[in-house]
C-alpha cells in the first residue's frame, strides 16, 4: 500500500533557485496539506486543500505556492528559495470528517528534507 | 486560537514501566484528537484517533483518553519496550480554527532503556 508518497526525500538548493516538492496519495482523500517541521517550532501548516481546484493558506504560507488539479496530487512550489526555508517538509492527507462515516484520520508521507544554502 | 501543549517534553524510563504522556489544548470545541509516533528522520505514524464523542480508544498496549471539558488527553503505554522509543505527538482537529486543519503539540521524546 503506497499511502502518501513524497519526492524527493532530500534536496539541496542555492538561494534564489526554485523547485517543486511532489506529494501523491492513492487513498482518494479529499483533504491534503503541507507542513514544515523545524526544531523547537513543531509542525506548522503551510497550505491545504479540501478538494481539486480548492486551496487555502495555513499558518506559514509566505514563499510557497500550491495547486490541486487532481484529487491525487498536491505539489508544493518554492519560487525563490531562501535559507529560512531549510526544513523538513511533510505532506498529509485524510478524508474530510463526516459524522458517522469518516473520523478524518490524518496520514503522513515520509518527509522531504530541504537544505537551502 | 487553538494551542496544544505536551508534558513532559522528554521522558526516560526503564523497560517494563507503564507510563503516561499528557496533551492539553485550549479550545474544547474539537472534532477529534489524534496521537502520532515519529521515529528519528521519519514521518508521523498514526497511533490512535479519538472522536469528540468518545472517551477513550485502545490499540494493543496503547490507551488514549479524552476529556474535552478539561482540555486534556492522555496516552497510556503499558509495559514499555525499547522499541517504543520515539517522539509522540498529539494533534487536535478543531471546529473553530482553520476549519479542516489539525493543530499539533510539540511532542514528548520518549526513551525506554533496556
Amino acid at each position: 500500500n503506497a499511502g502518501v508518497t513524497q519526492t524527493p526525500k532530500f534536496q539541496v538548493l542555492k538561494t534564489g533557485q526554485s523547485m517543486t516538492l511532489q506529494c501523491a496519495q492513492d487513498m482518494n482523500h479529499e483533504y491534503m496539506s503541507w507542513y514544515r517541521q523545524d526544531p523547537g517550532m513543531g509542525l506548522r501548516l503551510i497550505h491545504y486543500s479540501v478538494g481539486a481546484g480548492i486551496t487555502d493558506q495555513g499558518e506559514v504560507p509566505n514563499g510557497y505556492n500550491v495547486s490541486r488539479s487532481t484529487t491525487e496530487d498536491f505539489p508544493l512550489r518554492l519560487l525563490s528559495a531562501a535559507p529560512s526555508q531549510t526544513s523538513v517538509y511533510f505532506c498529509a492527507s485524510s478524508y474530510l470528517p463526516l459524522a458517522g462515516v469518516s473520523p478524518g484520520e490524518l496520514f503522513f508521507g515520509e518527509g522531504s528534507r530541504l537544505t537551502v544554502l | 486560537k487553538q494551542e496544544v501543549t505536551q508534558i513532559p517534553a522528554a521522558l526516560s524510563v526503564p523497560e517494563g514501566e507503564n507510563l503516561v504522556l499528557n496533551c492539553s489544548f485550549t479550545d474544547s470545541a474539537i472534532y477529534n484528537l489524534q496521537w502520532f509516533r515519529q521515529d528519528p528522520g521519519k514521518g508521523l505514524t498514526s497511533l490512535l484517533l479519538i472522536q469528540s464523542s468518545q472517551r477513550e480508544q485502545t490499540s494493543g498496549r496503547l490507551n488514549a483518553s479524552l476529556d474535552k471539558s478539561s482540555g486534556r488527553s492522555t496516552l497510556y503505554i503499558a509495559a514499555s519496550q525499547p522499541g517504543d522509543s520515539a517522539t509522540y505527538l498529539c494533534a487536535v482537529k478543531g471546529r473553530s480554527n482553520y476549519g479542516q486543519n489539525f493543530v499539533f503539540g510539540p511532542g514528548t521524546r520518549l526513551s525506554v532503556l533496556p
Side-chain angles (χ1 to χ4, degrees), chain A residues 7-42:
Chain A
T7 57
K9 287 185 171 33
F10 300 94
Q11 183 72 47
V12 178
L13 291 178
K14 294 181 180 178
T15 297
Q17 288 185 319
S18 62
M19 78 157 299
T20 299
L21 299 178
Q22 302 290 345
C23 176
Q25 53 90 10
D26 61 359
M27 297 173 280
N28 205 31
H29 285 165
E30 303 98 337
Y31 175 84
M32 296 187 73
S33 55
W34 279 101
Y35 290 86
R36 59 179 290 173
Q37 186 175 41
D38 303 288
M41 301 295 291

PDB file of all heavy atoms in Angstrom, chain A residues 7-42:
ATOM      1  N   THR A   7       8.256  13.072  -2.951  1.00  0.00           N
ATOM      2  CA  THR A   7       9.549  13.110  -3.627  1.00  0.00           C
ATOM      3  C   THR A   7       9.980  14.543  -3.845  1.00  0.00           C
ATOM      4  O   THR A   7       9.128  15.434  -4.010  1.00  0.00           O
ATOM      5  CB  THR A   7       9.477  12.395  -5.005  1.00  0.00           C
ATOM      6  OG1 THR A   7       8.461  13.024  -5.789  1.00  0.00           O
ATOM      7  CG2 THR A   7       9.210  10.919  -4.850  1.00  0.00           C
ATOM      8  N   PRO A   8      11.297  14.839  -3.806  1.00  0.00           N
ATOM      9  CA  PRO A   8      12.372  13.926  -3.422  1.00  0.00           C
ATOM     10  C   PRO A   8      12.460  13.778  -1.906  1.00  0.00           C
ATOM     11  O   PRO A   8      11.825  14.532  -1.177  1.00  0.00           O
ATOM     12  CB  PRO A   8      13.605  14.637  -3.964  1.00  0.00           C
ATOM     13  CG  PRO A   8      13.271  16.084  -3.816  1.00  0.00           C
ATOM     14  CD  PRO A   8      11.806  16.195  -4.102  1.00  0.00           C
ATOM     15  N   LYS A   9      13.237  12.854  -1.426  1.00  0.00           N
ATOM     16  CA  LYS A   9      13.459  12.691   0.004  1.00  0.00           C
ATOM     17  C   LYS A   9      14.481  13.700   0.523  1.00  0.00           C
ATOM     18  O   LYS A   9      14.408  14.128   1.679  1.00  0.00           O
ATOM     19  CB  LYS A   9      13.908  11.278   0.322  1.00  0.00           C
ATOM     20  CG  LYS A   9      12.806  10.235   0.219  1.00  0.00           C
ATOM     21  CD  LYS A   9      13.270   8.878   0.649  1.00  0.00           C
ATOM     22  CE  LYS A   9      12.156   7.860   0.773  1.00  0.00           C
ATOM     23  NZ  LYS A   9      11.061   7.996  -0.154  1.00  0.00           N
ATOM     24  N   PHE A  10      15.443  14.042  -0.311  1.00  0.00           N
ATOM     25  CA  PHE A  10      16.475  15.010   0.066  1.00  0.00           C
ATOM     26  C   PHE A  10      16.704  15.947  -1.113  1.00  0.00           C
ATOM     27  O   PHE A  10      16.662  15.524  -2.272  1.00  0.00           O
ATOM     28  CB  PHE A  10      17.800  14.311   0.422  1.00  0.00           C
ATOM     29  CG  PHE A  10      17.707  13.344   1.563  1.00  0.00           C
ATOM     30  CD1 PHE A  10      17.484  12.003   1.325  1.00  0.00           C
ATOM     31  CD2 PHE A  10      17.844  13.787   2.864  1.00  0.00           C
ATOM     32  CE1 PHE A  10      17.395  11.105   2.374  1.00  0.00           C
ATOM     33  CE2 PHE A  10      17.760  12.897   3.917  1.00  0.00           C
ATOM     34  CZ  PHE A  10      17.531  11.555   3.672  1.00  0.00           C
ATOM     35  N   GLN A  11      16.976  17.219  -0.810  1.00  0.00           N
ATOM     36  CA  GLN A  11      17.272  18.194  -1.854  1.00  0.00           C
ATOM     37  C   GLN A  11      18.109  19.314  -1.266  1.00  0.00           C
ATOM     38  O   GLN A  11      17.833  19.791  -0.154  1.00  0.00           O
ATOM     39  CB  GLN A  11      15.979  18.765  -2.438  1.00  0.00           C
ATOM     40  CG  GLN A  11      16.174  19.733  -3.576  1.00  0.00           C
ATOM     41  CD  GLN A  11      16.612  19.058  -4.848  1.00  0.00           C
ATOM     42  OE1 GLN A  11      16.056  18.050  -5.274  1.00  0.00           O
ATOM     43  NE2 GLN A  11      17.651  19.594  -5.470  1.00  0.00           N
ATOM     44  N   VAL A  12      19.130  19.723  -2.030  1.00  0.00           N
ATOM     45  CA  VAL A  12      19.945  20.879  -1.655  1.00  0.00           C
ATOM     46  C   VAL A  12      19.781  21.926  -2.746  1.00  0.00           C
ATOM     47  O   VAL A  12      19.945  21.622  -3.938  1.00  0.00           O
ATOM     48  CB  VAL A  12      21.437  20.507  -1.491  1.00  0.00           C
ATOM     49  CG1 VAL A  12      22.247  21.756  -1.148  1.00  0.00           C
ATOM     50  CG2 VAL A  12      21.616  19.439  -0.417  1.00  0.00           C
ATOM     51  N   LEU A  13      19.443  23.136  -2.344  1.00  0.00           N
ATOM     52  CA  LEU A  13      19.248  24.240  -3.283  1.00  0.00           C
ATOM     53  C   LEU A  13      20.173  25.398  -2.927  1.00  0.00           C
ATOM     54  O   LEU A  13      20.599  25.530  -1.767  1.00  0.00           O
ATOM     55  CB  LEU A  13      17.803  24.758  -3.216  1.00  0.00           C
ATOM     56  CG  LEU A  13      16.672  23.899  -3.732  1.00  0.00           C
ATOM     57  CD1 LEU A  13      15.347  24.607  -3.501  1.00  0.00           C
ATOM     58  CD2 LEU A  13      16.852  23.578  -5.202  1.00  0.00           C
ATOM     59  N   LYS A  14      20.399  26.248  -3.912  1.00  0.00           N
ATOM     60  CA  LYS A  14      21.068  27.506  -3.635  1.00  0.00           C
ATOM     61  C   LYS A  14      20.003  28.596  -3.492  1.00  0.00           C
ATOM     62  O   LYS A  14      18.914  28.510  -4.087  1.00  0.00           O
ATOM     63  CB  LYS A  14      22.031  27.845  -4.765  1.00  0.00           C
ATOM     64  CG  LYS A  14      23.201  26.878  -4.880  1.00  0.00           C
ATOM     65  CD  LYS A  14      24.132  27.288  -6.010  1.00  0.00           C
ATOM     66  CE  LYS A  14      25.310  26.316  -6.116  1.00  0.00           C
ATOM     67  NZ  LYS A  14      26.213  26.678  -7.240  1.00  0.00           N
ATOM     68  N   THR A  15      20.325  29.622  -2.744  1.00  0.00           N
ATOM     69  CA  THR A  15      19.402  30.740  -2.565  1.00  0.00           C
ATOM     70  C   THR A  15      18.962  31.283  -3.925  1.00  0.00           C
ATOM     71  O   THR A  15      19.796  31.508  -4.813  1.00  0.00           O
ATOM     72  CB  THR A  15      20.068  31.858  -1.753  1.00  0.00           C
ATOM     73  OG1 THR A  15      20.367  31.362  -0.443  1.00  0.00           O
ATOM     74  CG2 THR A  15      19.162  33.062  -1.631  1.00  0.00           C
ATOM     75  N   GLY A  16      17.639  31.459  -4.063  1.00  0.00           N
ATOM     76  CA  GLY A  16      17.090  32.001  -5.298  1.00  0.00           C
ATOM     77  C   GLY A  16      16.612  30.959  -6.289  1.00  0.00           C
ATOM     78  O   GLY A  16      15.851  31.294  -7.206  1.00  0.00           O
ATOM     79  N   GLN A  17      17.031  29.713  -6.117  1.00  0.00           N
ATOM     80  CA  GLN A  17      16.563  28.658  -7.018  1.00  0.00           C
ATOM     81  C   GLN A  17      15.107  28.303  -6.702  1.00  0.00           C
ATOM     82  O   GLN A  17      14.618  28.551  -5.595  1.00  0.00           O
ATOM     83  CB  GLN A  17      17.435  27.410  -6.889  1.00  0.00           C
ATOM     84  CG  GLN A  17      18.810  27.568  -7.501  1.00  0.00           C
ATOM     85  CD  GLN A  17      19.602  26.262  -7.468  1.00  0.00           C
ATOM     86  OE1 GLN A  17      19.582  25.522  -6.482  1.00  0.00           O
ATOM     87  NE2 GLN A  17      20.304  25.980  -8.561  1.00  0.00           N
ATOM     88  N   SER A  18      14.458  27.711  -7.693  1.00  0.00           N
ATOM     89  CA  SER A  18      13.086  27.264  -7.494  1.00  0.00           C
ATOM     90  C   SER A  18      13.032  25.745  -7.574  1.00  0.00           C
ATOM     91  O   SER A  18      13.918  25.112  -8.156  1.00  0.00           O
ATOM     92  CB  SER A  18      12.155  27.862  -8.548  1.00  0.00           C
ATOM     93  OG  SER A  18      12.555  27.423  -9.834  1.00  0.00           O
ATOM     94  N   MET A  19      12.022  25.183  -6.951  1.00  0.00           N
ATOM     95  CA  MET A  19      11.825  23.742  -7.033  1.00  0.00           C
ATOM     96  C   MET A  19      10.414  23.389  -6.600  1.00  0.00           C
ATOM     97  O   MET A  19       9.708  24.230  -6.022  1.00  0.00           O
ATOM     98  CB  MET A  19      12.823  22.978  -6.170  1.00  0.00           C
ATOM     99  CG  MET A  19      12.511  22.971  -4.704  1.00  0.00           C
ATOM    100  SD  MET A  19      13.271  21.578  -3.824  1.00  0.00           S
ATOM    101  CE  MET A  19      12.538  20.180  -4.644  1.00  0.00           C
ATOM    102  N   THR A  20      10.030  22.161  -6.901  1.00  0.00           N
ATOM    103  CA  THR A  20       8.722  21.650  -6.513  1.00  0.00           C
ATOM    104  C   THR A  20       8.878  20.362  -5.729  1.00  0.00           C
ATOM    105  O   THR A  20       9.583  19.445  -6.166  1.00  0.00           O
ATOM    106  CB  THR A  20       7.843  21.385  -7.749  1.00  0.00           C
ATOM    107  OG1 THR A  20       7.654  22.613  -8.465  1.00  0.00           O
ATOM    108  CG2 THR A  20       6.496  20.826  -7.346  1.00  0.00           C
ATOM    109  N   LEU A  21       8.232  20.323  -4.573  1.00  0.00           N
ATOM    110  CA  LEU A  21       8.132  19.089  -3.798  1.00  0.00           C
ATOM    111  C   LEU A  21       6.825  18.401  -4.209  1.00  0.00           C
ATOM    112  O   LEU A  21       5.767  19.025  -4.213  1.00  0.00           O
ATOM    113  CB  LEU A  21       8.115  19.385  -2.303  1.00  0.00           C
ATOM    114  CG  LEU A  21       9.342  20.086  -1.722  1.00  0.00           C
ATOM    115  CD1 LEU A  21       9.158  20.359  -0.241  1.00  0.00           C
ATOM    116  CD2 LEU A  21      10.597  19.262  -1.954  1.00  0.00           C
ATOM    117  N   GLN A  22       6.963  17.123  -4.545  1.00  0.00           N
ATOM    118  CA  GLN A  22       5.796  16.393  -5.019  1.00  0.00           C
ATOM    119  C   GLN A  22       5.152  15.601  -3.893  1.00  0.00           C
ATOM    120  O   GLN A  22       5.832  15.084  -3.012  1.00  0.00           O
ATOM    121  CB  GLN A  22       6.191  15.433  -6.148  1.00  0.00           C
ATOM    122  CG  GLN A  22       6.833  16.085  -7.353  1.00  0.00           C
ATOM    123  CD  GLN A  22       5.855  16.917  -8.153  1.00  0.00           C
ATOM    124  OE1 GLN A  22       4.633  16.803  -7.995  1.00  0.00           O
ATOM    125  NE2 GLN A  22       6.379  17.774  -9.034  1.00  0.00           N
ATOM    126  N   CYS A  23       3.821  15.518  -3.935  1.00  0.00           N
ATOM    127  CA  CYS A  23       3.058  14.704  -2.984  1.00  0.00           C
ATOM    128  C   CYS A  23       1.930  14.032  -3.734  1.00  0.00           C
ATOM    129  O   CYS A  23       1.179  14.705  -4.459  1.00  0.00           O
ATOM    130  CB  CYS A  23       2.495  15.554  -1.846  1.00  0.00           C
ATOM    131  SG  CYS A  23       1.440  14.621  -0.709  1.00  0.00           S
ATOM    132  N   ALA A  24       1.810  12.731  -3.563  1.00  0.00           N
ATOM    133  CA  ALA A  24       0.728  11.978  -4.188  1.00  0.00           C
ATOM    134  C   ALA A  24       0.151  11.000  -3.174  1.00  0.00           C
ATOM    135  O   ALA A  24       0.885  10.411  -2.383  1.00  0.00           O
ATOM    136  CB  ALA A  24       1.246  11.219  -5.404  1.00  0.00           C
ATOM    137  N   GLN A  25      -1.170  10.848  -3.217  1.00  0.00           N
ATOM    138  CA  GLN A  25      -1.830   9.863  -2.356  1.00  0.00           C
ATOM    139  C   GLN A  25      -2.785   9.024  -3.175  1.00  0.00           C
ATOM    140  O   GLN A  25      -3.400   9.512  -4.125  1.00  0.00           O
ATOM    141  CB  GLN A  25      -2.534  10.549  -1.160  1.00  0.00           C
ATOM    142  CG  GLN A  25      -3.494  11.662  -1.525  1.00  0.00           C
ATOM    143  CD  GLN A  25      -4.921  11.229  -1.756  1.00  0.00           C
ATOM    144  OE1 GLN A  25      -5.304  10.091  -1.476  1.00  0.00           O
ATOM    145  NE2 GLN A  25      -5.735  12.152  -2.282  1.00  0.00           N
ATOM    146  N   ASP A  26      -2.912   7.758  -2.782  1.00  0.00           N
ATOM    147  CA  ASP A  26      -3.734   6.828  -3.549  1.00  0.00           C
ATOM    148  C   ASP A  26      -4.935   6.341  -2.754  1.00  0.00           C
ATOM    149  O   ASP A  26      -5.464   5.255  -3.008  1.00  0.00           O
ATOM    150  CB  ASP A  26      -2.885   5.643  -4.026  1.00  0.00           C
ATOM    151  CG  ASP A  26      -2.294   4.844  -2.869  1.00  0.00           C
ATOM    152  OD1 ASP A  26      -2.514   5.217  -1.698  1.00  0.00           O
ATOM    153  OD2 ASP A  26      -1.606   3.840  -3.140  1.00  0.00           O
ATOM    154  N   MET A  27      -5.358   7.155  -1.773  1.00  0.00           N
ATOM    155  CA  MET A  27      -6.474   6.766  -0.901  1.00  0.00           C
ATOM    156  C   MET A  27      -7.759   7.531  -1.226  1.00  0.00           C
ATOM    157  O   MET A  27      -8.743   7.431  -0.494  1.00  0.00           O
ATOM    158  CB  MET A  27      -6.064   6.999   0.556  1.00  0.00           C
ATOM    159  CG  MET A  27      -4.880   6.138   0.970  1.00  0.00           C
ATOM    160  SD  MET A  27      -4.228   6.525   2.602  1.00  0.00           S
ATOM    161  CE  MET A  27      -3.217   7.965   2.239  1.00  0.00           C
ATOM    162  N   ASN A  28      -7.731   8.332  -2.301  1.00  0.00           N
ATOM    163  CA  ASN A  28      -8.898   9.117  -2.709  1.00  0.00           C
ATOM    164  C   ASN A  28      -9.330  10.110  -1.629  1.00  0.00           C
ATOM    165  O   ASN A  28     -10.526  10.405  -1.470  1.00  0.00           O
ATOM    166  CB  ASN A  28     -10.074   8.198  -3.080  1.00  0.00           C
ATOM    167  CG  ASN A  28     -11.038   8.881  -4.036  1.00  0.00           C
ATOM    168  OD1 ASN A  28     -10.644   9.716  -4.837  1.00  0.00           O
ATOM    169  ND2 ASN A  28     -12.304   8.531  -3.934  1.00  0.00           N
ATOM    170  N   HIS A  29      -8.324  10.633  -0.879  1.00  0.00           N
ATOM    171  CA  HIS A  29      -8.619  11.598   0.178  1.00  0.00           C
ATOM    172  C   HIS A  29      -8.935  12.958  -0.416  1.00  0.00           C
ATOM    173  O   HIS A  29      -8.245  13.442  -1.322  1.00  0.00           O
ATOM    174  CB  HIS A  29      -7.424  11.738   1.117  1.00  0.00           C
ATOM    175  CG  HIS A  29      -7.266  10.565   2.036  1.00  0.00           C
ATOM    176  ND1 HIS A  29      -6.097  10.344   2.742  1.00  0.00           N
ATOM    177  CD2 HIS A  29      -8.108   9.566   2.370  1.00  0.00           C
ATOM    178  CE1 HIS A  29      -6.238   9.253   3.480  1.00  0.00           C
ATOM    179  NE2 HIS A  29      -7.455   8.764   3.262  1.00  0.00           N
ATOM    180  N   GLU A  30      -9.955  13.606   0.127  1.00  0.00           N
ATOM    181  CA  GLU A  30     -10.295  14.956  -0.333  1.00  0.00           C
ATOM    182  C   GLU A  30      -9.302  15.984   0.202  1.00  0.00           C
ATOM    183  O   GLU A  30      -8.926  16.926  -0.462  1.00  0.00           O
ATOM    184  CB  GLU A  30     -11.716  15.356   0.132  1.00  0.00           C
ATOM    185  CG  GLU A  30     -12.821  14.417  -0.319  1.00  0.00           C
ATOM    186  CD  GLU A  30     -13.188  13.422   0.766  1.00  0.00           C
ATOM    187  OE1 GLU A  30     -12.335  13.157   1.657  1.00  0.00           O
ATOM    188  OE2 GLU A  30     -14.322  12.903   0.755  1.00  0.00           O
ATOM    189  N   TYR A  31      -8.892  15.808   1.458  1.00  0.00           N
ATOM    190  CA  TYR A  31      -8.063  16.796   2.150  1.00  0.00           C
ATOM    191  C   TYR A  31      -6.589  16.449   2.001  1.00  0.00           C
ATOM    192  O   TYR A  31      -6.179  15.305   2.234  1.00  0.00           O
ATOM    193  CB  TYR A  31      -8.435  16.818   3.634  1.00  0.00           C
ATOM    194  CG  TYR A  31      -7.581  17.719   4.492  1.00  0.00           C
ATOM    195  CD1 TYR A  31      -7.859  19.077   4.595  1.00  0.00           C
ATOM    196  CD2 TYR A  31      -6.489  17.217   5.195  1.00  0.00           C
ATOM    197  CE1 TYR A  31      -7.074  19.913   5.378  1.00  0.00           C
ATOM    198  CE2 TYR A  31      -5.700  18.038   5.976  1.00  0.00           C
ATOM    199  CZ  TYR A  31      -6.003  19.388   6.064  1.00  0.00           C
ATOM    200  OH  TYR A  31      -5.220  20.209   6.835  1.00  0.00           O
ATOM    201  N   MET A  32      -5.787  17.447   1.605  1.00  0.00           N
ATOM    202  CA  MET A  32      -4.335  17.297   1.562  1.00  0.00           C
ATOM    203  C   MET A  32      -3.701  18.561   2.121  1.00  0.00           C
ATOM    204  O   MET A  32      -4.280  19.658   2.027  1.00  0.00           O
ATOM    205  CB  MET A  32      -3.841  17.040   0.132  1.00  0.00           C
ATOM    206  CG  MET A  32      -4.354  15.734  -0.460  1.00  0.00           C
ATOM    207  SD  MET A  32      -3.634  15.321  -2.071  1.00  0.00           S
ATOM    208  CE  MET A  32      -1.965  14.830  -1.607  1.00  0.00           C
ATOM    209  N   SER A  33      -2.518  18.401   2.706  1.00  0.00           N
ATOM    210  CA  SER A  33      -1.891  19.535   3.374  1.00  0.00           C
ATOM    211  C   SER A  33      -0.379  19.399   3.352  1.00  0.00           C
ATOM    212  O   SER A  33       0.148  18.293   3.184  1.00  0.00           O
ATOM    213  CB  SER A  33      -2.379  19.628   4.829  1.00  0.00           C
ATOM    214  OG  SER A  33      -2.149  18.413   5.520  1.00  0.00           O
ATOM    215  N   TRP A  34       0.294  20.526   3.524  1.00  0.00           N
ATOM    216  CA  TRP A  34       1.746  20.573   3.648  1.00  0.00           C
ATOM    217  C   TRP A  34       2.113  21.216   4.977  1.00  0.00           C
ATOM    218  O   TRP A  34       1.570  22.273   5.349  1.00  0.00           O
ATOM    219  CB  TRP A  34       2.382  21.385   2.528  1.00  0.00           C
ATOM    220  CG  TRP A  34       2.553  20.651   1.254  1.00  0.00           C
ATOM    221  CD1 TRP A  34       1.774  20.717   0.146  1.00  0.00           C
ATOM    222  CD2 TRP A  34       3.613  19.731   0.944  1.00  0.00           C
ATOM    223  NE1 TRP A  34       2.270  19.897  -0.832  1.00  0.00           N
ATOM    224  CE2 TRP A  34       3.396  19.278  -0.363  1.00  0.00           C
ATOM    225  CE3 TRP A  34       4.717  19.245   1.652  1.00  0.00           C
ATOM    226  CZ2 TRP A  34       4.242  18.368  -0.996  1.00  0.00           C
ATOM    227  CZ3 TRP A  34       5.551  18.342   1.035  1.00  0.00           C
ATOM    228  CH2 TRP A  34       5.311  17.911  -0.277  1.00  0.00           C
ATOM    229  N   TYR A  35       3.053  20.574   5.695  1.00  0.00           N
ATOM    230  CA  TYR A  35       3.595  21.091   6.940  1.00  0.00           C
ATOM    231  C   TYR A  35       5.101  21.219   6.795  1.00  0.00           C
ATOM    232  O   TYR A  35       5.737  20.500   6.028  1.00  0.00           O
ATOM    233  CB  TYR A  35       3.325  20.131   8.110  1.00  0.00           C
ATOM    234  CG  TYR A  35       1.893  20.034   8.548  1.00  0.00           C
ATOM    235  CD1 TYR A  35       1.018  19.143   7.927  1.00  0.00           C
ATOM    236  CD2 TYR A  35       1.411  20.793   9.597  1.00  0.00           C
ATOM    237  CE1 TYR A  35      -0.298  19.038   8.339  1.00  0.00           C
ATOM    238  CE2 TYR A  35       0.090  20.691  10.018  1.00  0.00           C
ATOM    239  CZ  TYR A  35      -0.748  19.812   9.381  1.00  0.00           C
ATOM    240  OH  TYR A  35      -2.050  19.697   9.788  1.00  0.00           O
ATOM    241  N   ARG A  36       5.677  22.119   7.589  1.00  0.00           N
ATOM    242  CA  ARG A  36       7.115  22.111   7.770  1.00  0.00           C
ATOM    243  C   ARG A  36       7.401  21.851   9.247  1.00  0.00           C
ATOM    244  O   ARG A  36       6.625  22.252  10.128  1.00  0.00           O
ATOM    245  CB  ARG A  36       7.770  23.409   7.302  1.00  0.00           C
ATOM    246  CG  ARG A  36       7.312  24.681   7.963  1.00  0.00           C
ATOM    247  CD  ARG A  36       8.069  25.893   7.428  1.00  0.00           C
ATOM    248  NE  ARG A  36       9.483  25.886   7.858  1.00  0.00           N
ATOM    249  CZ  ARG A  36      10.384  26.761   7.422  1.00  0.00           C
ATOM    250  NH1 ARG A  36      10.042  27.697   6.548  1.00  0.00           N
ATOM    251  NH2 ARG A  36      11.628  26.702   7.868  1.00  0.00           N
ATOM    252  N   GLN A  37       8.498  21.139   9.491  1.00  0.00           N
ATOM    253  CA  GLN A  37       8.869  20.795  10.867  1.00  0.00           C
ATOM    254  C   GLN A  37      10.269  21.317  11.135  1.00  0.00           C
ATOM    255  O   GLN A  37      11.224  20.928  10.452  1.00  0.00           O
ATOM    256  CB  GLN A  37       8.804  19.278  11.092  1.00  0.00           C
ATOM    257  CG  GLN A  37       9.030  18.875  12.541  1.00  0.00           C
ATOM    258  CD  GLN A  37       8.850  17.382  12.757  1.00  0.00           C
ATOM    259  OE1 GLN A  37       9.272  16.567  11.941  1.00  0.00           O
ATOM    260  NE2 GLN A  37       8.217  17.003  13.871  1.00  0.00           N
ATOM    261  N   ASP A  38      10.370  22.174  12.118  1.00  0.00           N
ATOM    262  CA  ASP A  38      11.639  22.770  12.488  1.00  0.00           C
ATOM    263  C   ASP A  38      11.888  22.548  13.971  1.00  0.00           C
ATOM    264  O   ASP A  38      10.944  22.572  14.775  1.00  0.00           O
ATOM    265  CB  ASP A  38      11.621  24.270  12.201  1.00  0.00           C
ATOM    266  CG  ASP A  38      11.308  24.576  10.751  1.00  0.00           C
ATOM    267  OD1 ASP A  38      12.187  24.317   9.914  1.00  0.00           O
ATOM    268  OD2 ASP A  38      10.193  25.038  10.456  1.00  0.00           O
ATOM    269  N   PRO A  39      13.157  22.363  14.359  1.00  0.00           N
ATOM    270  CA  PRO A  39      13.477  22.157  15.784  1.00  0.00           C
ATOM    271  C   PRO A  39      12.950  23.300  16.635  1.00  0.00           C
ATOM    272  O   PRO A  39      13.170  24.473  16.329  1.00  0.00           O
ATOM    273  CB  PRO A  39      15.011  22.116  15.780  1.00  0.00           C
ATOM    274  CG  PRO A  39      15.378  21.689  14.411  1.00  0.00           C
ATOM    275  CD  PRO A  39      14.347  22.293  13.501  1.00  0.00           C
ATOM    276  N   GLY A  40      12.239  22.966  17.696  1.00  0.00           N
ATOM    277  CA  GLY A  40      11.717  23.977  18.598  1.00  0.00           C
ATOM    278  C   GLY A  40      10.460  24.675  18.132  1.00  0.00           C
ATOM    279  O   GLY A  40       9.861  25.444  18.892  1.00  0.00           O
ATOM    280  N   MET A  41      10.056  24.426  16.878  1.00  0.00           N
ATOM    281  CA  MET A  41       8.866  25.100  16.333  1.00  0.00           C
ATOM    282  C   MET A  41       7.723  24.121  16.101  1.00  0.00           C
ATOM    283  O   MET A  41       6.583  24.520  15.863  1.00  0.00           O
ATOM    284  CB  MET A  41       9.213  25.790  15.012  1.00  0.00           C
ATOM    285  CG  MET A  41      10.311  26.826  15.121  1.00  0.00           C
ATOM    286  SD  MET A  41       9.816  28.220  16.135  1.00  0.00           S
ATOM    287  CE  MET A  41       8.591  28.980  15.086  1.00  0.00           C
ATOM    288  N   GLY A  42       8.021  22.841  16.105  1.00  0.00           N
ATOM    289  CA  GLY A  42       6.976  21.860  15.876  1.00  0.00           C
ATOM    290  C   GLY A  42       6.528  21.832  14.422  1.00  0.00           C
ATOM    291  O   GLY A  42       7.223  22.304  13.516  1.00  0.00           O
TER     292      GLY A  42
END
